């Protein structure tokens, strides 16, 4: 579904979530790092960087390389958890919005069903009253 401007429409929770994320510089930075760390460019860069380090930079690269990789793993796992927390918060926001909308639709449908029942009962009463009238 698209808006008149041609842009796709988004769930209100998505709009609120994006506004919240773009309003905080720390969250934007975390999103950028997470997006890059989850890309193949990240893998290529590390494969080339580690190979160069092991072949050209140090004679015995293992102690320093192990330290660097361990520190990087600590930070990347933190960014993964930030991403998971963000996704959980988004899913909760969307679920809350959907629940409210579904409750509203249920209430509206219940009212419509009661109105239809009342109209049907009145029509039925009038038809039966019409059949009993003298011909």
């Amino acid at each position: 579904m698209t808006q008149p401007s041609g842009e796709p429409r988004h769930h209100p929770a998505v709009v609120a979530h994006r506004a919240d994320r773009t309003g905080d510089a720390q969250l934007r930075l975390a999103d950028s790092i997470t997006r890059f760390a989850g890309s193949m460019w990240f893998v290529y860069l590390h494969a080339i960087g580690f190979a160069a380090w092991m072949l050209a930079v140090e004679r015995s690269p293992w102690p320093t390389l192990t330290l660097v990789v361990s520190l990087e793993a600590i930070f990347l796992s933190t960014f993964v958890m930030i991403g998971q927390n963000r996704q959980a918060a988004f899913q909760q926001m969307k679920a809350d919005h959907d629940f409210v909308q579904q409750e509203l639709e249920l209430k509206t449908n219940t009212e419509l069903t009661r109105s239809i029942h009342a109209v049907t009962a009145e029509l039925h009463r009038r038809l039966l009253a019409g059949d009993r009238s003298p011909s």
Side-chain angles (χ1 to χ4, degrees), residues 19-113:
D20 183 47
R21 298 299 293 181
T22 57
D24 188 339
Q26 290 180 6
L27 295 177
R28 286 195 313 268
L29 177 62
D31 286 344
S32 297
I33 291 170
T34 304
R35 191 171 24 261
F36 175 67
S39 71
M40 285 306 294
W41 286 110
F42 181 81
V43 174
Y44 300 145
L45 179 68
H46 280 73
I48 293 167
F50 291 152
W53 189 325
M54 289 184 285
L55 297 174
V57 176
E58 290 189 32
R59 286 185 169 272
S60 179
W62 305 116
T64 309
L65 186 58
T66 301
L67 174 66
V68 169
V69 170
S70 296
L71 288 172
E72 183 180 43
I74 290 168
F75 284 107
L76 287 177
S77 65
T78 302
F79 286 114
V80 167
M81 288 188 287
I82 290 169
Q84 288 174 338
N85 288 341
R86 180 196 68 197
Q87 188 64 26
F90 169 74
Q91 290 298 330
Q92 186 61 53
M93 185 187 323
K94 186 175 181 306
D96 291 344
H97 175 271
D98 290 348
F99 176 77
V100 169
Q101 289 302 112
Q102 288 171 359
E103 286 295 308
L104 179 62
E105 286 181 30
L106 179 61
K107 182 179 176 183
T108 302
N109 287 342
T110 301
E111 289 172 3
L112 286 172
T113 302

